[in-house]
Amino acid sequence: MKMDKKHVAHILEEIGTLLDLRGENSFKCRAYHNAARTIESLGEDLEQLVRSGELTNVKGIGKGIGDKITELVTTGRMEYHEELKRSLPPGLPDMLRIQGLGPKKVKVLFDQLGIESIAQLKQAAEEHRLQNLDGFGARTEENILVGIDSLERHADRFLYPVASEAARRIVESLKRLPGVTACEITGSLRRKKETIGDIDILVSASEKQRKPIMQAFSSHEEVVRVIAQGETKSSVTLRIGINCDVRIVSKAEFPFALNYFTGSKEHNVEMRSRALAKGWSLNEYGFSPAKGGKGKRRIPECTTENDLYRALGLEFVPPELREEMGEFEAAEQGMLPELVELKDLRGTFHCHTNFSDGANSLAEMVAAAQALGWSYLGIADHSHSAAYAGGLSPARVRAQFKEIESVQKRLKGFRIYRGSEVDILSDGSLDFNDKILASFDYVVASIHSKFKMNEAEATKRIIKALKNKFVTMLGHPTGRLLLSRDPYPVNMTEVLQAAADYGRAIEINAHPMRLDLDWRLVRQAKAKKIPIFINPDAHNTEGLRDVEYGVNVARKGWLSAKDVANTWSQRQIDRFFQK
Ligand code: DGT
Ligand code: CA
Ligand code: CA
Ligand code: ZN
């Protein structure tokens, strides 16, 4: 099995966490966390480095960790990792998923109350047994219960990339099976929803080939449990915990099933009612004459999904728009937007380097952006009060400008923009003075602290920041972390209006846990003509690729290329920044 960097980084990260939980020396813990980030952002091929014995030449990888990585890459397992896992109750790392609960507190809970699972923790908190522990109080207890509640509400959903990656592997192996003439991802994954309940896959194959296809599916190496297995439908649970449905239909049924299982349910309901209005009954297998239908209109022949929409007098509706939010009215009039695509992007603007909490240097980030075919890159490291993230002092800002100048000199036709991700302080003022703010090409203003606000306070704080003439765009506007932290209560209608009034832009933070601005709000922003930037919030070179998830959100928000600022030319960007 090929060990990819992500997997190795993941194991190193897990070791760091297990050491944290055991309360070991903090230098040792940090060494593993840092090694994880180093490996993930490594430019070279990991296996090559292991083979040539050059791994320890990499900065931050000493002999001890180097040997362990070598063991993992060459044998597929690491004894030290297994041993550490055995040394602690398996439920402890799970407790870290509760917002606001770090390794130190989990260790106290375990040592003093013997709590080793979320269920036990919930019970203890409800019985108010946590309040008197070292470093805990009534407030902590309350927050833990809120955190558990949020986890429980999201327990049955998965982040888009996690589901998408698993689905891709299943589809790849299904496509290789004899008799499979078509195989597509359907459901919420095809609609590019921000979180996914289960994976839906549709296959086309003749009847006599279905049984062996289903057998191959349920014995796939990713499958840990078979819920149901039939010839036309099977459901399983995959290793990562998500369920996966596979359905097999005939070639003639395929376009109808593809449409039906892509959904959404609400979109399907409207499709069916429009078919009925034409005298046809529509289901996942095809059109048929509606019972008691008025006209005896000929049943249309459909070999593609496109034909199906055409038969109903509609323009083809891209899957991302199938949420029954006005797509029928637009499709009827041929007014659907031409949606932005990944290849339309020419760069991006919210990226971190090792000047703050990024893992890669400026030169490495620029090279990665060029490899993606981009023609500009905006660097926005953290501002100085973001101490936890290596925020830049004014002196470090000047040093970074020098570095940008020297890297820029060696580039032809590629532009580095000098930006900053400036903290919005609790009173809505910014974390740099006007003189420093004025020295940047652009400013991303974001909230990273003091999340506990009521709606009026949060809205006022953000609007005050937007009013600041040095602010170019608002970063991750609602602060949500998908499946773990709710957005702060903020009146986004007022925030969007303020952005429109002051001529500011808003980012779609493309990090798969954020996807913030939410696509439902992206549409409102478009209606107010607010320019949208798709920003990956990249903390290493790989992270730049996250713009893909931002493009999904932009498409779900009905954006065309021209609505997305990072499809613009350098000249258009310059003009916008100068304004
Ligand atoms: P998810 O899995 O919660 O992320 O969301 P979906 O949209 O993938 O939902 P899922 O897996 O339950 O069903 C896949 C599609 O099948 C759904 O988008 C539309 C269609 N579908 C499922 N149940 C119904 C139903 O009761 N009525 C209609 N019209 N369509 C349905
Ligand atoms: Ca689904
Ligand atoms: Ca399903
Ligand atoms: Zn940020």
Side-chain angles (χ1 to χ4, degrees), residues 351-358 379-404 418-423 431-433 436 440:
C351 302
H352 299 273
T353 71
N354 55 10
F355 262 79
S356 68
D357 60 347
I379 297 299
D381 272 318
H382 291 282
S383 61
H384 60 160
S385 47
Y388 60 90
L392 271 54
S393 64
R396 293 278 292 156
V397 169
R398 284 191 293 277
Q400 186 172 51
F401 283 0
K402 279 224 176 81
E403 170 145 343
I404 289 177
R418 309 191 303 194
S420 176
E421 183 183 19
V422 179
D423 269 34
D431 190 27
F432 279 132
N433 66 33
I436 299 171
F440 296 109

Side-chain angles (χ1 to χ4, degrees), residues 109-128:
L109 289 164
F110 177 57
D111 289 346
Q112 301 192 18
L113 296 177
I115 291 174
E116 38 181 86
S117 70
I118 293 178
Q120 289 173 350
L121 179 61
K122 186 177 178 186
Q123 191 177 359
E126 279 167 353
E127 290 165 3
H128 303 298

Side-chain angles (χ1 to χ4, degrees), residues 350 352 382 388 421 423 444 446-448 475-476 507 509 514 537 539:
H350 180 173
H352 299 273
H382 291 282
Y388 60 90
E421 183 183 19
D423 269 34
V444 183
S446 312
I447 289 184
H448 291 116
H476 40 73
E507 83 170 3
N509 190 296
R514 292 190 182 269
D537 206 345
H539 284 74

Side-chain angles (χ1 to χ4, degrees), residues 198-200 245 247:
D198 73 352
I199 298 170
D200 299 280
D245 294 342
R247 296 176 183 87

Side-chain angles (χ1 to χ4, degrees), residues 70-330:
T70 302
E71 181 192 345
L72 179 62
V73 171
T74 50
T75 69
R77 60 194 299 279
M78 187 203 294
E79 185 50 38
Y80 182 60
H81 176 235
E82 311 276 329
E83 210 176 278
L84 270 176
K85 273 204 295 195
R86 279 194 299 267
S87 74
L88 286 169
L92 285 197
D94 216 30
M95 286 162 64
L96 294 172
R97 289 166 50 221
I98 301 166
Q99 189 65 34
L101 203 57
K104 280 211 184 80
K105 285 210 166 67
V106 171
K107 187 171 173 351
V108 170
L109 289 164
F110 177 57
D111 289 346
Q112 301 192 18
L113 296 177
I115 291 174
E116 38 181 86
S117 70
I118 293 178
Q120 289 173 350
L121 179 61
K122 186 177 178 186
Q123 191 177 359
E126 279 167 353
E127 290 165 3
H128 303 298
R129 287 191 280 128
L130 310 183
Q131 304 194 359
N132 303 320
L133 293 174
D134 297 342
F136 286 65
R139 187 74 178 266
T140 332
E141 200 171 70
E142 178 59 32
N143 287 342
I144 285 175
L145 283 172
V146 170
I148 293 176
D149 176 60
S150 156
L151 261 189
E152 283 173 346
R153 275 185 290 125
H154 302 307
D156 51 351
R157 297 196 70 83
F158 294 78
L159 292 179
Y160 176 86
V162 174
S164 158
E165 185 55 27
R168 198 181 50 77
R169 284 196 293 267
I170 302 278
V171 166
E172 260 172 27
S173 55
L174 285 174
K175 276 187 169 161
R176 281 198 297 266
L177 295 176
V180 172
T181 55
C183 179
E184 295 282 348
I185 290 172
T186 63
S188 51
L189 256 181
R190 185 163 179 240
R191 301 199 315 280
K192 310 283 166 64
K193 280 284 293 282
E194 63 278 25
T195 63
I196 306 296
D198 73 352
I199 298 170
D200 299 280
I201 294 171
L202 183 67
V203 168
S204 159
S206 72
E207 273 176 36
K208 62 176 189 299
Q209 276 155 324
R210 292 180 187 176
K211 204 168 179 177
I213 293 171
M214 285 306 196
Q215 269 162 358
F217 167 57
S218 46
S219 52
H220 191 280
E221 60 175 6
E222 301 278 334
V223 172
V224 291
R225 191 167 75 97
V226 178
I227 302 164
Q229 189 180 331
E231 291 207 1
T232 55
K233 181 183 175 188
S234 294
S235 294
V236 303
T237 306
L238 303 182
R239 199 186 300 278
I240 56 166
I242 198 169
N243 288 350
C244 177
D245 294 342
V246 165
R247 296 176 183 87
I248 310 186
V249 297
S250 70
K251 196 172 169 195
E253 292 162 344
F254 193 82
F256 294 93
L258 179 62
N259 190 251
Y260 181 88
F261 292 112
T262 296
S264 63
K265 202 165 152 178
E266 294 74 14
H267 182 88
N268 291 353
V269 169
E270 180 64 19
M271 287 290 279
R272 213 172 326 161
S273 101
R274 287 183 180 240
L276 274 179
K278 292 195 178 287
W280 308 316
S281 144
L282 170 66
N283 64 15
E284 61 267 52
Y285 308 113
F287 283 125
S288 54
K291 281 200 198 80
K294 291 184 276 281
K296 277 202 217 97
R297 224 181 298 192
R298 199 175 60 86
I299 299 290
E301 222 174 274
C302 298
T303 55
T304 64
E305 232 188 0
N306 206 352
D307 296 340
L308 212 159
Y309 283 99
R310 188 171 326 131
L312 296 177
L314 300 167
E315 199 185 345
F316 177 78
V317 180
E320 293 91 333
L321 304 189
R322 299 183 195 168
E323 303 290 352
E324 172 57 335
M325 286 174 71
E327 69 270 24
F328 287 98
E329 292 74 6

